[in-house]
Amino acid sequence: MERTRPNPDQLLADVQRETERESRGKLKIFFGAAAGVGKTYAMLEAAQKQRREGLDVMIGLVETHGRVETEKLLIGLERLPLKEFTYRGAVLRDFDIEAALRRKPHILLVDELAHTNAPGAWHTKRWQDVLELLEAGIDVFTTLNVQHLESVNDIVARLSSVNVRETVPDSIFDQADEVEFVDLTPDDLLQRLREGKVYVAAQAERAMENFFTMGNLIALRELGLRRMADRLDTQMERFRRLHAVGESLHIADRLLVAVGPSPYAPRVVRAARRMAERLHAEWIVAYIETPGAAELPQTDKDRVLQTLRLAEQLGAQPVTLTGEHVAAELIDYARQRSVNKIVVGKPGRARWRDRLFGSMVDELIRNEAGIDIFVVRDLLEEVARAPARRFRRWPRWEGFAAAFGVIAACTLLSWPLTSILDDASRGVLYIVAIVAVALFWGTGPAVAASALSVLAYDFFFVQPVGKFSVNDPRAVLTLLMIFIVGNALSALTTRIKLQAKIARRHEERTAAMYQMTRDLAAGRTPEETRERVESNLATVCGGDVAILLPDAQRRIQDDGRAKKFLRPWHFPVAQWTFDHGKMAGLGTEALPASDSLFLPLRGNRGVVGVVAIKAADPNLAQEAEQMLLIETLTRHAALAFEQLELVSEANHARMQAEAERMQNSLLSSVSHDLRTPLASITGAASSLLQNSDCLDAGNRRELLTTIYHEANRLNRLVTNLLNMTRLEAGALSPSKDWQSIEELVGAALAKSERALQNRPVATRIPADLPLIRVDGLLIEQVFLNILDNAVKYTPAGSPLEIEARAETDGVVVTIADRGPGFAPGDEERVFDKFFRGSSGDDSKGAGLGLTICRGIVAAHGGRIAARNRPDGGAVFEIFLPRENDAAPAPAEPAGAPAAKTNDGGPT
Amino acid sequence: MNAAPKILLIEDDPQIRKLLRVTLPANGYDLLEAECGEEGVQMTASHNPEAIILDLGLPDIDGLEVVRRVREWSATPIVVLTARGQDQEKVRTLDAGADDYLTKPFSTPELLARLRVALRHAARAGSETAEPVVTFGDIRVDFAKRQVFLRDAEVHLTPIEYKLFSTLVRNAGKVLTHRQLLKEVWGPSYVEQTQYLRVFMGALRQKLEADPARPRFLTTEPGVGYRLKND
């Protein structure tokens, strides 16, 4: 039992709720005790008022039931046209949510919140439509009768004998921004009924007569008022929590509600909810699955499912436990979860059974854990009573026939051996037979078999033979033993069989999960993972499965893998599932008209995708066990996808870290290279400043020349560095244009004129060398760097040769010198960063020039290589590939030489 | 040119201003200074300089914008100073009407040469008479007779080649962008067809240069255009 100060989780939920409220539309419910109190009228009045204040109010759907005063209030309000649905040949008109979402008015009026939509609509219920409208930011006005609230549904049924089927979850009511109680005293209401002002459908008239009694109306009004008070209470609590006003000294209760397949279970759940609300307690609804549960008829199993769903809807935490002993399990679990109150339904079994077999409620009451037990009693017995609660399938007649046959066979077997077999052995034989029957045909036939065995034994083997009587009283003992032991063993056998079945099913489930997890662990790419998940799920569901992943804009796209069963109309449903994170499609409450089931793939960080299932079984969504397995598997899959995403993010981060590291190393190693020329410059400059008088013209000139040259060197270094940085950052993207190699070589030579210092430079570039698409400035830089390299490493005045030739797939340019060439093994390494020739002279620059060349050439898709020439010297060979398009021939009047282009046409 | 030609320098960097303050007057120019683009435009209007040196990296408005505005009402020659990596901007400025450019760091002789060329062309544009015959190196161009001679031997040029060459000669010393040349020789709809230009420049070099791969006159400025060097 915990003492609560404002619970931090609650506070967080509250704050989240508050912030969500900002963007959500506001819901105002006009709440009344019964039909005819004037809710629609009040709603329209409010709408008109808003319209007069200038807001964009629109009518989504309003039922005036022909009342003139109400109709008058419609004037001036824009109406949304209704949508037509065809169902079984009839045309039904109902609210058009798609049009409403498109139109997006400020306020939309949607009457009758509890209404069930026409078949074919997006949602089954109108309140679901309203939720979607709110989420889209549209404010909604709606009407609701108290009898439509889920939590009071049973009370109203009890009061009015009218079982209201259209219900609305209480959460909507509680979370509405405003609820206005439209009150009318029962007298006034009856008066209006007499005046014919209350609309009553022709068919329901008689029922309404029962409904509109004074007693009922008073009770309904009280119920409505009480519900309003409850709501205010909750709001008050929330307000207090949020604003930390006062300390709520609540000792938090926690309720545990036990439910079974009984049709009364929903009542118990509703009653528990009312209790929980009043106590402001958390409540858990538990179903204990005993080994016998597997034998329950499908209707019972479905009922349990529905009860658990209802519980969840009403705000409980549903839990399924397995165990042999219901009471013990409940107490155990209650202890674990610090539950201090257990709620159960009134036991329905006959008292003698309780005396004989023990009553669950009794055991609960006797618990040692200090837990209070509440038993919910029910006065109304007639409604939906299930025939014979513990009715199991009546075993097939074949079982009994078989039992008869087996015992007969047994008897026939023992008859000739009467002399050899003694009583005990014969008895054992019969018992074996009984067990065999139990094993193959179940409990019923087994009991029959044991009865038959006793009779047969008595008739054939007990004196007097041939008669159903006994001479020796001790024989009675034998007979009794056969009966008892036979039954006991058969009971055990059936139990074992059942348990084996359950175990097998569990094993199947575990195997499926194991298989899935193994497959997921092995998947390396999203594609692989996806396929494995799809095949696994397809096996489990028995149908077609497709996994849909969103693109960068978070839209589910048909990415062409769209298989077999996915059609264009499936994608909006998938998108809905993705956006809302809820199940949709066949068998669910959202968009049930679809023929496939859509499940969200929910990982730890939200919804990562959608699973589309087209199962052979159209009721798949209702099968609790299957769904549990499927949901577990999809969760694993979602986690796997998230994992892959995280891995790629980690890789990306690692690469970035790597790039940063390289950046740093570049900076550090280069600072030295920058400092050296700077040192010369500062030295020379300061010297000039200091000693300008005592220096002669020659010396001065020398110092100035030093400054000039070193500054130029610094400039080249900085250029190289900048290029290098761009290269490493991947920002070097060539802007290609048609270029002439001849021109680029010429420009490079012109820029290097001073450095070349009148060396002999021979150029052999054919006049008809085709133009090529490259980045002119970058390729010029390549030539510049290589020339610079040649100047640095070859003796002054030694010749250079530059050649170019066309190849089938590109152009090759070679720059050769007659210098010392490369040391063996250096031909590759010259292109490495910071590599300097074997002379190891620091003044030769940072060693980046050739690296940049390689980067630029690579960015063009070309190759660069260095080798030694056979007769001395080094040669650099650059290959630049040609793209597929030829340069179009330039226009020229007749008589002119044809253009020289890539197609190598004749001149 | 009686008085020293007025040169307006639009430059925000104080070091470069200092440099030119020393250099230009020493070479016979009068220097006016503006620190930002707006000031520069105003001073062009108020002082009417003979030439403008404009830095592209100004704090207030784009160098390109300055060129555009000045060109709306003035033909004063403009030489732009660009930094490395401003290639696209450079070309745009030239296309918008700047006459020439210099890349920082530049040497003073270069700057003075560009200024001279720019001033010369401006003066010539003022006077209506174009010289009928132009000579540089071994090449002689006779505009009247539309003939080109290399070492006194006539060189046969196709009409397009002639047009191209004569454009370059008429703007000798100045850089001409690809767009400008294409527009002048082929027409406005051909301004994207650089390959035409390359092919014909190649042909000109073949016909007129001793070593087409190392031209003396018909030089290439990669990324910008071509320049006929006559110094």
Side-chain angles (χ1 to χ4, degrees):
Chain A
M1 242 154 295
E2 305 132 35
R3 212 183 166 75
T4 44
R5 278 168 257 110
N7 181 341
D9 287 320
Q10 271 286 28
L11 273 175
L12 187 64
D14 284 344
V15 171
Q16 266 182 336
R17 206 201 329 254
E18 286 301 307
T19 36
E20 267 167 19
R21 278 185 118 97
E22 308 293 299
S23 56
R24 275 183 111 228
K26 308 241 182 298
L27 177 62
K28 179 163 178 166
I29 301 181
F30 292 84
F31 189 55
V37 296
K39 301 181 296 293
T40 312
Y41 192 85
M43 179 172 77
L44 285 168
E45 268 190 331
Q48 288 286 4
K49 179 155 169 276
Q50 297 290 338
R51 186 182 72 91
R52 281 194 290 275
E53 286 179 14
L55 291 168
D56 177 19
V57 184
M58 206 170 169
I59 295 181
L61 188 145
V62 162
E63 303 275 6
T64 61
H65 301 303
R67 272 171 269 171
V68 179
E69 308 113 340
T70 319
E71 294 221 336
K72 271 201 225 145
L73 284 175
L74 292 174
I75 300 170
L77 290 172
E78 200 186 328
R79 276 191 126 128
L80 191 71
L82 296 176
K83 187 166 174 187
E84 288 189 357
F85 298 91
T86 25
Y87 182 64
R88 295 204 184 143
V91 173
L92 304 166
R93 308 180 80 218
D94 209 341
F95 176 59
D96 189 352
I97 181 166
E98 288 165 282
L101 286 172
R102 271 198 306 267
R103 168 70 174 75
K104 250 193 155 204
H106 196 122
I107 301 176
L108 189 68
L109 268 55
V110 183
D111 213 346
E112 293 183 12
L113 190 61
H115 174 81
T116 309
N117 284 336
W122 256 16
H123 298 286
T124 31
K125 297 289 202 168
R126 188 168 287 163
W127 58 262
Q128 290 169 320
D129 287 334
V130 167
L131 280 180
E132 192 150 346
L133 290 168
L134 291 172
E135 251 170 72
I138 303 173
D139 288 350
V140 176
F141 285 3
T142 187
T143 60
L144 186 66
N145 282 340
V146 67
Q147 73 233 42
H148 293 130
L149 281 175
E150 185 65 64
S151 63
V152 302
N153 183 267
D154 50 343
I155 300 180
V156 172
R158 214 185 314 157
L159 284 173
S160 61
S161 324
V162 172
N163 200 359
V164 177
R165 294 197 194 286
E166 295 188 326
T167 57
V168 167
D170 284 67
S171 53
I172 298 193
F173 183 76
D174 287 326
Q175 285 171 24
D177 296 84
E178 256 191 87
V179 176
E180 189 175 305
F181 190 61
V182 182
D183 196 15
L184 202 61
T185 61
D187 286 306
D188 288 339
L189 184 55
L190 286 172
Q191 177 70 17
R192 293 192 65 198
L193 182 66
R194 277 187 289 259
E195 290 172 11
K197 285 194 179 162
V198 178
Y199 175 75
V200 159
Q203 310 95 297
E205 254 177 39
R206 211 162 54 82
M208 278 306 178
E209 272 170 19
N210 286 338
F211 194 83
F212 278 85
T213 61
M214 186 58 106
N216 271 355
L217 290 176
I218 295 175
L220 284 171
R221 187 166 172 241
E222 184 194 322
L223 200 61
L225 287 166
R226 221 183 315 143
R227 197 65 188 75
M228 286 293 293
D230 278 347
R231 196 189 113 93
L232 285 170
D233 218 10
T234 320
Q235 276 191 326
M236 187 57 154
E237 189 58 43
R238 219 180 279 149
F239 181 82
R240 252 198 276 152
R241 258 205 309 265
L242 203 59
H243 302 264
V245 171
E247 205 191 294
S248 47
L249 287 176
H250 263 133
I251 295 172
D253 293 307
R254 210 182 250 153
L255 263 61
L256 176 63
V257 185
V259 296
S262 157
Y264 301 141
R267 281 164 212 273
V268 177
V269 167
R270 290 207 186 90
R273 183 194 185 273
R274 291 195 283 275
M275 225 168 100
E277 288 284 292
R278 229 145 264 156
L279 294 170
H280 301 285
E282 264 178 61
W283 55 302
I284 307 164
V285 172
Y287 167 58
I288 317 288
E289 192 178 359
T290 57
E295 292 294 295
L296 288 175
Q298 191 58 35
T299 40
D300 277 6
K301 287 190 200 165
D302 288 342
R303 213 179 289 131
V304 170
L305 194 64
Q306 279 163 24
T307 310
L308 286 175
R309 274 237 187 95
L310 171 69
E312 198 174 15
Q313 256 187 348
L314 289 174
Q317 196 195 329
V319 137
T320 307
L321 307 166
T322 36
E324 290 227 13
H325 215 123
V326 176
E329 282 300 323
L330 278 173
I331 299 291
D332 227 359
Y333 189 72
R335 268 217 192 88
Q336 268 177 44
R337 298 294 307 272
S338 319
V339 160
N340 60 334
K341 288 175 169 49
I342 295 184
V343 177
V344 292
K346 172 188 129 169
R349 299 202 297 186
R351 214 176 295 187
W352 65 266
R353 290 191 75 153
D354 281 352
R355 291 250 172 81
L356 206 56
F357 295 112
S359 150
M360 177 192 74
V361 180
D362 207 38
E363 279 197 47
L364 283 176
I365 293 173
R366 290 182 201 285
N367 81 81
E368 301 289 318
I371 301 174
D372 296 331
I373 309 296
F374 290 80
V375 179
V376 170
R377 305 204 61 222
D378 211 35
L379 298 168
L380 206 59
E381 304 275 328
E382 307 102 42
V383 179
R385 164 177 274 187
R389 263 193 68 224
R390 286 288 181 78
F391 180 58
R392 296 218 168 89
R393 283 192 313 274
W394 205 229
R396 303 192 305 277
W397 64 269
E398 295 110 17
F400 296 102
F404 186 82
V406 169
I407 300 305
C410 207
T411 316
L412 279 169
L413 207 65
S414 336
W415 180 253
L417 304 167
T418 319
S419 39
I420 314 172
L421 288 171
D422 70 343
D423 278 352
S425 330
R426 207 179 296 122
V428 169
L429 195 65
Y430 272 104
I431 289 177
V432 169
I434 297 169
V435 171
V437 171
L439 193 63
F440 290 110
W441 288 283
T443 325
V447 173
S450 39
L452 280 171
S453 308
V454 170
L455 289 172
Y457 198 93
D458 184 13
F459 193 83
F460 289 101
F461 302 104
V462 172
Q463 303 299 334
V465 174
K467 283 216 199 63
F468 282 112
S469 61
V470 272
N471 285 346
D472 187 352
R474 280 181 305 181
V476 177
L477 204 64
T478 317
L479 292 171
L480 207 63
M481 285 282 90
I482 295 175
F483 190 73
I484 293 175
V485 175
N487 270 330
L489 282 177
S490 62
L492 267 168
T493 315
T494 10
R495 265 268 279 284
I496 291 174
K497 229 173 71 172
L498 251 168
Q499 282 179 342
K501 202 159 144 198
I502 293 179
R504 204 173 28 242
R505 249 219 319 265
H506 279 192
E507 207 237 313
E508 272 169 19
R509 253 211 306 242
T510 320
M513 283 204 275
Y514 177 63
Q515 179 68 23
M516 170 78 114
T517 11
R518 235 190 21 189
D519 278 349
L520 285 177
R524 289 273 158 260
T525 64
E527 275 320 303
E528 229 186 296
T529 307
R530 202 173 176 177
E531 287 185 8
R532 281 164 197 256
V533 171
E534 279 174 358
S535 66
N536 267 311
L537 279 175
T539 326
V540 167
C541 305
D544 279 330
V545 173
I547 294 200
L548 302 165
L549 296 173
D551 60 12
Q553 281 80 35
R554 300 187 64 76
R555 297 212 64 77
I556 300 291
Q557 292 294 8
D558 180 352
D559 59 357
R561 304 170 57 253
K563 312 170 128 204
K564 339 137 191 186
F565 68 96
L566 286 177
R567 297 275 176 275
W569 60 81
H570 283 123
F571 286 91
V573 186
Q575 186 67 49
W576 190 93
T577 305
F578 181 74
D579 292 333
H580 291 83
K582 294 194 199 142
M583 252 183 0
L586 185 64
T588 66
E589 287 180 341
L591 307 166
S594 180
D595 61 356
S596 309
L597 179 64
F598 293 85
L599 296 169
L601 273 176
R602 188 186 290 276
N604 282 331
R605 297 151 108 203
V607 184
V608 297
V610 173
V611 182
I613 303 175
K614 186 165 187 162
D617 177 8
N619 289 321
L620 185 60
Q622 312 287 357
E623 300 251 346
E625 239 182 85
Q626 276 286 64
M627 285 311 293
L628 188 65
L629 179 60
I630 292 171
E631 273 162 20
T632 317
L633 292 176
T634 51
R635 184 159 167 92
H636 278 291
L639 289 172
F641 283 121
E642 267 186 355
Q643 168 94 331
L644 286 169
E645 217 180 284
L646 286 169
V647 164
S648 85
E649 272 178 35
N651 275 339
H652 190 74
R654 211 199 344 255
M655 277 200 308
Q656 276 192 315
E658 187 68 36
E660 256 181 62
R661 218 169 37 82
M662 275 206 302
Q663 202 87 314
N664 291 336
S665 78
L666 184 65
L667 285 172
S668 60
S669 70
V670 146
S671 71
H672 164 74
D673 295 317
L674 285 174
R675 295 269 160 82
T676 325
L678 279 173
S680 314
I681 293 172
T682 21
S686 59
S687 184
L688 278 167
L689 285 169
Q690 288 278 55
N691 311 317
S692 57
D693 318 330
C694 24
L695 284 171
D696 68 17
N699 283 336
R700 273 209 295 272
R701 198 170 181 79
E702 221 178 279
L703 286 172
L704 288 166
T705 318
T706 308
I707 295 177
Y708 186 66
H709 282 311
E710 289 301 279
N712 274 328
R713 187 172 143 207
L714 204 53
N715 186 26
R716 279 199 306 279
L717 206 61
V718 168
T719 311
N720 267 354
L721 281 173
L722 285 173
N723 280 338
M724 200 64 223
T725 330
R726 268 163 59 211
L727 194 66
E728 302 227 296
L732 210 68
S733 48
S735 54
K736 296 185 184 175
D737 199 0
W738 291 109
Q739 300 287 350
S740 157
I741 294 293
E742 185 183 87
E743 284 179 7
L744 296 175
V745 167
L749 285 171
K751 284 210 176 98
S752 314
E753 216 175 288
R754 200 183 313 115
L756 289 172
Q757 283 174 347
N758 298 320
R759 301 175 175 233
V761 177
T763 57
R764 269 194 286 282
I765 301 176
D768 59 353
L769 189 71
L771 296 180
I772 189 170
R773 277 185 75 87
V774 289
D775 183 316
L777 284 167
L778 289 177
I779 299 299
E780 188 200 5
Q781 188 67 45
V782 170
F783 296 153
L784 281 169
N785 285 3
I786 296 180
L787 288 171
D788 188 48
N789 196 70
V791 162
K792 275 193 273 212
Y793 288 97
T794 64
S798 75
L800 290 175
E801 289 153 50
I802 305 181
E803 267 183 48
R805 64 174 189 277
E807 306 228 315
T808 42
D809 52 349
V811 161
V812 174
V813 180
T814 59
I815 302 174
D817 64 50
R818 290 282 172 211
F822 303 105
D826 275 356
E827 292 97 331
E828 289 288 324
R829 290 173 52 211
V830 281
F831 295 103
D832 288 345
K833 258 198 306 197
F834 308 126
F835 179 88
R836 276 172 246 207
S838 352
S839 55
D841 183 356
D842 264 6
S843 70
K844 303 281 193 215
L848 291 174
L850 292 176
T851 319
I852 293 172
C853 290
R854 184 173 60 179
I856 293 176
V857 171
H860 283 84
R863 294 185 296 275
I864 183 169
R867 341 178 271 278
N868 283 323
R869 294 169 88 180
D871 38 348
V875 62
F876 285 89
E877 196 173 274
I878 302 158
F879 170 72
L880 295 166
R882 176 193 315 176
E883 286 172 17
N884 286 329
D885 41 331
E892 171 82 279
K900 302 157 191 117
T901 60
N902 268 359
D903 55 30
T907 36
Chain B
M1 260 176 289
N2 332 355
K6 277 184 296 206
I7 310 289
L8 170 64
L9 170 65
I10 312 177
E11 170 66 72
D12 63 320
D13 180 50
Q15 294 305 324
I16 298 188
R17 285 208 306 274
K18 194 151 113 178
L19 172 69
L20 291 186
R21 219 177 288 149
V22 168
T23 322
L24 288 181
N27 283 280
Y29 296 103
D30 231 355
L31 183 65
L32 302 163
E33 291 176 40
E35 279 179 42
C36 63
E38 290 289 353
E39 205 190 330
V41 175
Q42 277 165 26
M43 285 184 73
T44 312
S46 55
H47 291 77
N48 204 13
E50 259 74 50
I52 301 172
I53 301 177
L54 167 68
D55 185 294
L56 278 191
L58 291 172
D60 54 346
I61 50 177
D62 224 352
L64 181 59
E65 187 61 29
V66 174
V67 171
R68 283 207 184 112
R69 290 215 262 178
V70 168
R71 277 288 168 262
E72 276 171 24
W73 45 265
S74 165
T76 314
I78 305 175
V79 176
V80 291
L81 298 177
T82 77
R84 279 201 87 85
Q86 282 181 316
D87 306 304
Q88 293 221 14
E89 248 190 282
K90 182 167 71 188
V91 174
R92 272 202 291 263
T93 333
L94 289 168
D95 283 331
D99 293 74
D100 218 325
Y101 72 97
L102 268 179
T103 316
K104 291 190 280 196
F106 56 85
S107 67
T108 329
E110 256 188 286
L111 171 65
L112 293 171
R114 299 283 155 94
L115 262 183
R116 270 200 303 274
V117 167
L119 287 167
R120 195 181 338 130
H121 282 294
R124 200 153 355 113
S127 67
E128 280 309 318
T129 53
E131 287 166 35
V133 176
V134 173
T135 315
F136 44 89
D138 291 332
I139 302 176
R140 192 171 80 245
V141 185
D142 188 336
F143 287 107
K145 297 205 195 106
R146 305 194 110 224
Q147 282 176 315
V148 179
F149 297 90
L150 176 65
R151 282 186 292 270
D152 295 320
E154 192 184 348
V155 180
H156 175 65
L157 296 177
T158 72
I160 295 239
E161 284 169 2
Y162 177 77
K163 202 161 171 203
L164 182 56
F165 187 56
S166 58
T167 312
L168 283 163
V169 171
R170 266 196 289 270
N171 288 284
K174 218 170 81 135
V175 71
L176 292 170
T177 64
H178 301 302
R179 284 181 88 93
Q180 286 169 337
L181 284 168
L182 284 163
K183 187 165 155 204
E184 180 72 33
V185 177
W186 277 274
S189 50
Y190 287 84
V191 290
E192 303 287 337
Q193 313 295 346
T194 32
Q195 66 273 20
Y196 292 10
L197 202 47
R198 304 232 183 265
V199 168
F200 282 96
M201 283 304 296
L204 280 177
R205 283 194 303 268
Q206 287 293 322
K207 292 186 179 172
L208 299 170
E209 290 278 356
D211 184 358
R214 289 188 86 176
R216 253 188 76 192
F217 308 107
L218 296 165
T219 58
T220 315
E221 314 242 324
V224 183
Y226 297 93
R227 189 195 299 269
L228 188 110
K229 277 194 176 156
N230 60 352
D231 46 340

